[in-house]
């Protein structure tokens, strides 16, 4: 008997760092919307863009232009602030991913503290859900956070894979294996609570496979590595290679 195929796995391409490069010179290029259209052509299932409070990469007009230009869903990443909620409600993107944000961090360093902020987050999510946005919470694998996500009725969680990727890069094989086991346990716990599971942060050709092979995970959001690799091999081939690895791992 052959095993049933795993459910499809979506690839969301995060184009923030095209904007980082553009903003480094204050120029009009490279254009993140052009990158999004290339990603769409290369078979991405969605585009992810993070409008940070300090507008360090994506800016408001990028979101306006992305909404008008792309035919695939936009996953709008944002902090749970009133300003961002108003922007999301104006655009009504397919998905809204809530992330913690600190001005001094280089990237999103940890997951949301859902357990410590349940009432506020539940109230924050309601109008977004009512506007038709699929709300996702970016969290670590701590079971308390996953259970809290279920309690605030988040339809989706995205598990933070950054620490695992860092440990792999450092060659800390044993700790990486433990972190991976915790992440996959978290994926199963969230799935069993009826939450759709996504994963992302720091993923590369070297680290994507165990997540792609995990049945409970339904979407991966990948940015920095793909944009970096695009410098050498082009964005379209980088996305296609990532997809090839995902398909190979999923079997
Ligand atoms: N998912 C979330 C929630 C993120 O905040 C980020 C980074 O913006 C990513 C995925 C993509 O991470 P990376 O750019 O490291 O691939």
């Amino acid at each position: 008997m052959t095993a049933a195929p795993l459910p499809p796995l979506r690839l969301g391409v995060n184009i923030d760092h095209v904007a980082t490069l553009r903003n480094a010179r204050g120029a009009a290029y490279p254009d993140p919307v052009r990158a999004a259209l290339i990603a769409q052509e290369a078979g991405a299932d969605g585009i992810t863009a993070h409008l940070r409070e300090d507008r360090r990469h994506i800016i408001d007009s990028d979101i306006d232009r992305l909404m008008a230009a792309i035919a695939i869903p936009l996953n709008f990443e944002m902090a749970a602030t009133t300003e961002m909620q108003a922007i999301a409600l104006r655009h009504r993107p397919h998905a809204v991913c809530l992330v913690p944000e600190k001005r001094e961090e280089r990237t999103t360093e940890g997951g949301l503290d859902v357990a410590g902020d349940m009432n506020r987050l539940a109230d924050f999510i309601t109008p977004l859900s009512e506007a038709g946005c699929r709300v996702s919470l970016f969290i670590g694998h701590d079971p308390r956070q996953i259970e809290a996500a279920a309690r605030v009725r988040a339809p989706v969680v995205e598990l933070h894979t950054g620490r695992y990727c860092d440990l792999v890069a450092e060659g800390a094989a044993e700790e990486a294996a433990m972190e991976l086991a915790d992440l996959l346990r978290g994926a199963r716990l969230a799935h069993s609570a009826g939450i759709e599971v996504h994963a992302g942060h720091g993923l590369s050709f070297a680290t994507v496979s165990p997540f792609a092979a995990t049945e409970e995970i339904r979407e991966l959001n990948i940015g920095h590595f793909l944009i970096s690799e695009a410098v050498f091999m082009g964005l379209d081939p980088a996305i296609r290679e990532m997809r090839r690895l995902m398909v190979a791992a999923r079997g």
Side-chain angles (χ1 to χ4, degrees):
M1 215 174 67
T2 51
L6 299 189
L9 177 64
R10 292 188 298 275
L11 170 60
V13 174
N14 181 318
I15 43 90
D16 291 349
H17 296 299
V18 178
T20 304
L21 195 56
R22 174 193 63 190
N23 298 359
R25 273 292 176 92
Y29 64 87
D31 180 6
V33 177
R34 183 173 169 198
L37 292 172
I38 292 170
Q40 179 175 287
E41 195 58 35
D45 298 296
I47 299 298
T48 294
H50 183 179
L51 184 67
R52 293 186 74 103
E53 189 193 5
D54 61 9
R55 310 305 199 263
R56 73 170 72 150
H57 38 56
I58 293 294
I59 56 176
D60 298 62
S61 59
D62 293 329
I63 300 293
D64 298 343
R65 292 187 308 120
L66 279 168
M67 285 299 292
I70 60 174
I72 52 179
L74 177 69
N75 176 29
F76 180 58
E77 258 187 55
M78 58 179 233
T81 64
T82 320
E83 182 203 11
M84 289 298 152
Q85 190 187 50
I87 295 171
L89 290 173
R90 197 164 71 242
H91 286 293
R92 298 175 180 233
H94 165 79
V96 168
C97 181
L98 300 182
V99 300
E101 216 175 271
K102 290 190 224 112
R103 268 182 190 258
E104 64 276 16
E105 71 189 354
R106 257 190 298 182
T107 181
T108 313
E109 282 164 4
L112 272 178
D113 179 15
V114 187
D117 202 11
M118 277 211 309
N119 292 342
R120 190 182 78 88
L121 282 174
D123 288 347
F124 192 86
I125 291 170
T126 304
L128 293 166
S129 298
E130 284 173 1
C133 304
R134 201 158 160 73
V135 177
S136 145
L137 303 179
F138 188 47
I139 57 173
H141 51 61
D142 179 349
R144 280 183 327 124
Q145 299 297 346
I146 296 168
E147 283 152 14
R151 286 220 287 283
V152 299
R153 297 182 191 281
V156 181
V157 292
E158 179 162 330
L159 295 178
H160 195 317
T161 53
R163 185 171 132 75
Y164 168 73
C165 296
D166 288 345
L167 290 166
V168 170
E170 287 160 19
E174 233 172 84
E175 278 176 277
M178 286 192 298
E179 178 69 8
L180 179 62
D182 284 342
L183 282 164
L184 300 190
R185 238 190 317 276
R188 284 191 289 275
L189 176 64
H191 179 77
S192 69
I195 302 176
E196 183 173 305
V197 184
H198 300 173
H201 210 283
L203 293 174
S204 68
F205 294 156
T207 50
V208 73
S209 297
F211 302 104
T214 299
E215 177 172 3
E216 289 81 4
I217 296 177
R218 300 295 161 84
E219 180 173 307
L220 299 177
N221 286 303
I222 309 180
H224 187 256
F225 176 82
L226 287 173
I227 303 306
S228 305
E229 207 54 25
V231 173
F232 302 109
M233 67 191 292
L235 184 55
D236 179 287
I239 293 169
R240 288 182 197 272
E241 175 61 7
M242 188 60 83
R243 173 74 79 185
R244 188 189 68 74
L245 292 168
M246 286 164 59
V247 169
R250 209 146 175 94

